[in-house]
Amino acid sequence: MSKLNTTAIVVAIGLVFSAGAMAQSLSNDAYKAAKDRIAVEYTTAKTNCDSLSGNGKDICITEAKGKEKVAKAELEARYEEPTAENHYKALAAKAEADYAVASEKCDDKAGNDKDVCVKEAKAVETRVKADAEAQMKISEANQVASEKSAEAGMKASAEGAEAREEATTEKVDANYAVAKAKCDSLASDDKESCMDEAKAKYGK
């Protein structure tokens, strides 16, 4: 996934957790209609994959399943209750679906190139989910603080800082895994030097 796409996702996360994004819950009829539409769209997308073969077909089917998974998660978030937690679940589903597709595309590669490709895809998933989880915790803490005293506001601020720190740690670990995989393609002294640089960069 490109840096531009990753940035777009991060921006979307912020918008999703904003007050304006907390839309009204769906009625039963609207929920059923949306669920039926998702099923039809998945069947159509999966059928379109039949004309393909090999890994191209695998990628196509994975994309179809991913879109269905994301659509269902977003629908459930709106139908059950548009809470921060349910919006997080929808964003996590998108990150997982994107990873599944990216990982499938890595099958076109081999050896260390494939290993690096998979770890880079996993790093993107980790970054997006970590940011989404941090935003969820911050949103929930702020909501509690708005209903209570100044003391609660200070607690919310502390919880927000802790959530951001946890997200940073998860992202550093994911990026370190990518760096290690890239070092694996090197030999002897170059590999050792590469690992030393990676450890120094990510504080390992």
Side-chain angles (χ1 to χ4, degrees), residues 41-195:
E41 290 176 349
Y42 169 67
T43 300
T44 300
K46 193 168 180 294
T47 299
N48 290 337
C49 297
D50 291 340
S51 61
L52 304 174
S53 61
N55 196 45
K57 183 174 183 178
D58 292 340
I59 293 171
C60 182
I61 292 174
T62 302
E63 287 177 336
K65 289 180 178 178
K67 289 178 181 177
E68 179 195 33
K69 181 178 180 179
V70 172
K72 283 183 175 180
E74 291 176 343
L75 176 60
E76 293 302 326
R78 290 186 62 198
Y79 179 66
E80 292 178 6
E81 190 178 355
T83 61
E85 181 179 2
N86 284 332
H87 281 298
Y88 163 74
K89 290 178 181 178
L91 286 167
K94 173 120 184 21
E96 290 165 3
D98 286 346
Y99 168 70
V101 173
S103 181
E104 197 68 54
K105 289 179 178 179
C106 292
D107 284 346
D108 288 329
K109 302 177 183 294
N112 184 253
D113 285 344
K114 180 177 179 179
D115 190 31
V116 171
C117 180
V118 171
K119 282 185 169 59
E120 286 181 335
K122 190 66 179 178
V124 171
E125 179 195 23
T126 299
R127 287 196 295 269
V128 173
K129 291 175 77 171
D131 285 336
E133 184 175 8
Q135 287 295 331
M136 175 187 68
K137 291 178 179 178
I138 292 169
S139 178
E140 290 176 340
N142 287 339
Q143 183 176 354
V144 171
S146 68
E147 297 169 354
K148 296 184 178 181
S149 64
E151 182 180 350
M154 293 175 64
K155 182 180 178 182
S157 178
E159 288 178 353
E162 182 179 353
R164 283 190 288 270
E165 184 176 349
E166 289 176 355
T168 298
T169 299
E170 290 178 13
K171 290 186 283 186
V172 167
D173 288 344
N175 290 334
Y176 177 57
V178 173
K180 283 173 59 181
K182 290 180 178 179
C183 292
D184 286 340
S185 65
L186 305 175
S188 186
D189 293 342
D190 288 338
K191 180 177 180 179
E192 185 176 348
S193 177
C194 178
M195 287 298 300

